[in-house]
Amino acid sequence: MDNELKARFSSIVGERYAHSTADEIEPFITDTRGRYAAPSPLALRPGTVDEISQILKLATETGTPVIPQGGNTGLVGGGLPLVNGAGNEIMVSLGRMNKILDVDRDSNTITVESGSILENIQNAADDADRLFPLSLGSQGTCQIGGNIGSNAGGTGVLAYGNTRDLVMGLEAVLPTSEVWNGLSRLRKDNTGYDLKNLFIGAEGTLGIVTKATLKLFPKPRGRELAYVSLKSPDAALELLNRAKGSAGNGLTAFELMASIAMEFTLKHAQNAIRRPIQDTSPWYVLLEISSGRSSQEARATLEDILGDAFESGIIDDATIAESLEQQRMFWTLREDMSWAQKPEGASIKHDISVPVGSVPDFIKEADAAVLKIVPDARIVNFGHLGDGNLHYNISQPVGWDAEDYFSYEEQVHEAVYEVVGKCKGSISAEHGVGQMKRDKIAALKDPTALQIMRTIKASLDPAGIMNPGKVI
Ligand code: ZN
């Protein structure tokens, strides 16, 4: 990129918010796992919608590729320059546009700028005695614009849906610079295509989301959390069905964790964490029941579910968190699973979903397929059983060289995705496509669906400047 063009882009946001030295650019092009390293000539931090519109206008005129970026916590390289790309993509970071604009208690909505950090939105809702239920490990850093772009999931999906279900309206800047104001608070609106859904899960390939109106919910008055040990995914599925039957919408989380995932977390824990149940079992479940009335009601429902499951021999043991602090510790055990694999060496990761009832079959077949390729691989399986979504990760055999292990990566992916296909599942459940899975999507998705996606992309982004090489 020549200096004159750099200067034209920079002058839109002002020198203070335009970064072009290697040191300044580093944080915008580095991911937490260190798997994507590619250069960018310029990072811009606009402060207004109008500045974004000017940036995209100039980008379309000059054919300059643009990568929108939120908190840079993504796992599929969706908000980073393409590895082995042209090296001319400019970064547009939304972090300065982080205002909570409005909380409407009657409509149960909150309207925010897209650079708002997820946790700040949760807190603003809480201050208004409401719940914004999107909840994930990176919530202290990730931004709502990135959550929208990747249609993020997390632990609240079972009761409240994923990001797509929580968005009521959006404002977005098109690649050709027009600003679309779709900040609706309407619960009902039958006036044609649902345009907001084009931008949700699009990973910044169709424009830049600048504001969002999101759904709020009544705050539960009681939340009770149990840590359960059991023998198999089949037993966990049976427990899930019974919990749904007893609690209905009061079942607000149901997380499945393999024993080895729990052992990794306990072994590498940085905080004081204790084993909630002394006897070990092959599988564990975190089960949360919420009540709109009281914690007593939530507790009684939870005790009924567990007592009944214990008598029927479905579970080995269970313990209910006795304080908020203990609840936080149980959640830490689950949330720390992501990073606790790191000290165990290289990991081949999957974020898959299958119909909920197919989860036990998926696990049996995928385990067999993986162990056929790398017999001593350690399958670190955990995830949101209630949504049929597993983080099916496979750590290297003890004592192996990481590079040797990664030489099996494609083979392992293929074997796992074959079982996903057999179960009529998806190879990206909640992390997105990014640059990691783009070619795989092209091979696996319905050809007509891909054709519709390409038509939409070409009509909204005629110069092909928005996050090229991602998704499609
Ligand atoms: Zn997850």
Short mmCIF file of all heavy atoms in Angstrom, two decimals, residues 12 22 24 90 92 118 142 149-150 156 164 218 221-222 236 240 271 308 335 350 388 423 430 432 435 456:
data_model
loop_
_atom_site.label_atom_id
_atom_site.label_comp_id
_atom_site.label_asym_id
_atom_site.label_seq_id
_atom_site.Cartn_x
_atom_site.Cartn_y
_atom_site.Cartn_z
N ILE A 12 -8.97 10.16 7.75
CA ILE A 12 -10.40 10.00 8.08
C ILE A 12 -10.59 9.88 9.60
O ILE A 12 -11.49 10.49 10.17
CB ILE A 12 -10.99 8.76 7.37
CG1 ILE A 12 -10.99 8.95 5.85
CG2 ILE A 12 -12.42 8.50 7.87
CD1 ILE A 12 -11.35 7.70 5.06
N ALA A 22 5.12 -1.42 12.95
CA ALA A 22 4.99 -2.85 13.27
C ALA A 22 4.54 -3.05 14.72
O ALA A 22 3.67 -3.88 15.00
CB ALA A 22 6.33 -3.55 13.03
N GLU A 24 2.84 -1.02 16.69
CA GLU A 24 1.45 -0.59 16.91
C GLU A 24 0.47 -1.58 16.32
O GLU A 24 -0.62 -1.79 16.84
CB GLU A 24 1.23 0.79 16.27
CG GLU A 24 1.81 1.94 17.06
CD GLU A 24 1.63 3.27 16.34
OE1 GLU A 24 1.37 3.28 15.11
OE2 GLU A 24 1.74 4.30 17.01
N ILE A 90 -6.50 -3.80 5.42
CA ILE A 90 -6.41 -2.88 6.55
C ILE A 90 -7.39 -3.30 7.64
O ILE A 90 -8.45 -3.83 7.38
CB ILE A 90 -6.63 -1.40 6.15
CG1 ILE A 90 -8.05 -1.17 5.61
CG2 ILE A 90 -5.61 -0.95 5.13
CD1 ILE A 90 -8.36 0.30 5.42
N VAL A 92 -9.94 -2.54 10.72
CA VAL A 92 -10.81 -1.51 11.27
C VAL A 92 -11.32 -2.04 12.61
O VAL A 92 -12.13 -2.95 12.67
CB VAL A 92 -11.99 -1.18 10.32
CG1 VAL A 92 -12.96 -0.22 11.00
CG2 VAL A 92 -11.46 -0.57 9.02
N LEU A 118 -18.91 -7.38 25.91
CA LEU A 118 -20.08 -8.16 26.31
C LEU A 118 -20.40 -8.01 27.80
O LEU A 118 -21.55 -7.81 28.18
CB LEU A 118 -19.86 -9.64 25.94
CG LEU A 118 -20.92 -10.63 26.40
CD1 LEU A 118 -22.31 -10.23 25.94
CD2 LEU A 118 -20.56 -12.04 25.90
N CYS A 142 -14.36 -9.81 24.69
CA CYS A 142 -15.01 -9.84 23.37
C CYS A 142 -16.03 -8.71 23.26
O CYS A 142 -16.53 -8.20 24.25
CB CYS A 142 -15.67 -11.19 23.12
SG CYS A 142 -17.08 -11.55 24.19
N GLY A 149 -21.17 -10.89 14.52
CA GLY A 149 -20.54 -11.36 13.28
C GLY A 149 -20.35 -12.86 13.26
O GLY A 149 -20.46 -13.50 12.22
N SER A 150 -20.06 -13.45 14.45
CA SER A 150 -19.81 -14.89 14.48
C SER A 150 -21.02 -15.67 14.99
O SER A 150 -20.95 -16.88 15.12
CB SER A 150 -18.59 -15.19 15.36
OG SER A 150 -18.82 -14.71 16.67
N GLY A 156 -25.47 -19.98 27.65
CA GLY A 156 -26.87 -19.59 27.87
C GLY A 156 -27.81 -19.98 26.73
O GLY A 156 -29.00 -19.68 26.77
N ARG A 164 -27.99 -14.83 17.41
CA ARG A 164 -29.02 -14.55 16.40
C ARG A 164 -30.41 -14.37 17.05
O ARG A 164 -31.19 -13.53 16.63
CB ARG A 164 -29.07 -15.69 15.39
CG ARG A 164 -29.85 -15.39 14.15
CD ARG A 164 -29.90 -16.59 13.21
NE ARG A 164 -28.63 -16.96 12.62
CZ ARG A 164 -28.02 -16.30 11.64
NH1 ARG A 164 -28.57 -15.21 11.13
NH2 ARG A 164 -26.87 -16.71 11.15
N PRO A 218 -36.37 -11.02 32.04
CA PRO A 218 -36.47 -10.85 33.49
C PRO A 218 -35.30 -11.58 34.16
O PRO A 218 -34.87 -12.62 33.66
CB PRO A 218 -37.78 -11.56 33.85
CG PRO A 218 -38.51 -11.74 32.57
CD PRO A 218 -37.50 -11.75 31.47
N ARG A 221 -34.82 -15.09 39.83
CA ARG A 221 -34.69 -14.78 41.27
C ARG A 221 -33.89 -15.87 41.98
O ARG A 221 -33.41 -15.67 43.08
CB ARG A 221 -36.07 -14.64 41.91
CG ARG A 221 -36.89 -13.52 41.30
CD ARG A 221 -36.22 -12.15 41.44
NE ARG A 221 -36.73 -11.23 40.41
CZ ARG A 221 -36.15 -10.09 40.07
NH1 ARG A 221 -35.04 -9.73 40.66
NH2 ARG A 221 -36.65 -9.34 39.14
N GLY A 222 -33.82 -17.03 41.36
CA GLY A 222 -33.01 -18.10 41.96
C GLY A 222 -32.30 -18.90 40.90
O GLY A 222 -32.86 -19.16 39.83
N ALA A 236 -26.03 -39.17 30.40
CA ALA A 236 -26.16 -37.71 30.42
C ALA A 236 -27.37 -37.27 29.60
O ALA A 236 -28.12 -36.38 30.00
CB ALA A 236 -24.89 -37.05 29.89
N LEU A 240 -30.58 -35.22 30.84
CA LEU A 240 -31.02 -34.00 30.15
C LEU A 240 -32.53 -34.06 29.88
O LEU A 240 -33.26 -33.10 30.15
CB LEU A 240 -30.25 -33.83 28.83
CG LEU A 240 -30.74 -32.72 27.89
CD1 LEU A 240 -30.49 -31.34 28.49
CD2 LEU A 240 -30.05 -32.80 26.52
N ASN A 271 -6.15 -20.99 40.21
CA ASN A 271 -6.81 -20.58 41.45
C ASN A 271 -7.03 -21.81 42.32
O ASN A 271 -6.81 -22.93 41.89
CB ASN A 271 -8.16 -19.93 41.13
CG ASN A 271 -7.99 -18.85 40.09
OD1 ASN A 271 -7.10 -18.02 40.21
ND2 ASN A 271 -8.81 -18.90 39.06
N ASP A 308 -34.38 -38.33 41.81
CA ASP A 308 -35.01 -39.26 40.89
C ASP A 308 -33.97 -39.96 40.01
O ASP A 308 -34.02 -41.17 39.80
CB ASP A 308 -36.00 -38.43 40.05
CG ASP A 308 -36.60 -39.23 38.92
OD1 ASP A 308 -37.27 -40.22 39.23
OD2 ASP A 308 -36.38 -38.85 37.75
N GLU A 335 -15.16 -23.52 32.52
CA GLU A 335 -14.65 -22.46 31.64
C GLU A 335 -13.14 -22.56 31.42
O GLU A 335 -12.64 -22.17 30.36
CB GLU A 335 -15.04 -21.08 32.18
CG GLU A 335 -16.47 -20.70 31.80
CD GLU A 335 -17.08 -19.67 32.72
OE1 GLU A 335 -16.36 -19.14 33.59
OE2 GLU A 335 -18.29 -19.40 32.57
N HIS A 350 -12.12 -29.14 17.37
CA HIS A 350 -13.35 -29.12 16.57
C HIS A 350 -14.44 -28.44 17.38
O HIS A 350 -14.47 -28.58 18.60
CB HIS A 350 -13.80 -30.53 16.22
CG HIS A 350 -12.72 -31.37 15.58
ND1 HIS A 350 -11.86 -32.11 16.32
CD2 HIS A 350 -12.37 -31.53 14.28
CE1 HIS A 350 -10.99 -32.72 15.51
NE2 HIS A 350 -11.29 -32.38 14.26
N GLY A 388 -26.46 -29.84 21.67
CA GLY A 388 -25.82 -30.79 20.74
C GLY A 388 -24.48 -30.29 20.23
O GLY A 388 -24.01 -30.70 19.17
N CYS A 423 -24.07 -37.89 10.96
CA CYS A 423 -25.08 -37.53 11.97
C CYS A 423 -25.91 -36.31 11.55
O CYS A 423 -26.69 -35.80 12.34
CB CYS A 423 -24.41 -37.22 13.31
SG CYS A 423 -23.52 -38.59 14.05
N GLU A 430 -20.48 -22.81 16.90
CA GLU A 430 -20.58 -21.49 17.55
C GLU A 430 -19.32 -20.63 17.39
O GLU A 430 -19.29 -19.52 17.90
CB GLU A 430 -20.92 -21.66 19.04
CG GLU A 430 -19.87 -22.42 19.83
CD GLU A 430 -20.11 -22.41 21.34
OE1 GLU A 430 -21.13 -21.89 21.79
OE2 GLU A 430 -19.24 -22.93 22.06
N GLY A 432 -17.80 -20.02 14.25
CA GLY A 432 -17.76 -19.40 12.94
C GLY A 432 -16.88 -20.17 11.96
O GLY A 432 -16.36 -21.25 12.26
N GLN A 435 -11.14 -18.05 8.39
CA GLN A 435 -10.28 -18.59 7.33
C GLN A 435 -10.00 -20.07 7.58
O GLN A 435 -9.57 -20.78 6.69
CB GLN A 435 -8.98 -17.80 7.21
CG GLN A 435 -8.21 -17.57 8.50
CD GLN A 435 -7.02 -16.63 8.29
OE1 GLN A 435 -6.10 -16.92 7.53
NE2 GLN A 435 -7.07 -15.48 8.96
N ILE A 456 -25.68 -12.87 -2.73
CA ILE A 456 -25.86 -11.80 -1.74
C ILE A 456 -24.55 -11.03 -1.58
O ILE A 456 -24.52 -9.79 -1.59
CB ILE A 456 -26.31 -12.39 -0.38
CG1 ILE A 456 -27.73 -12.96 -0.50
CG2 ILE A 456 -26.25 -11.33 0.71
CD1 ILE A 456 -28.17 -13.81 0.69
#
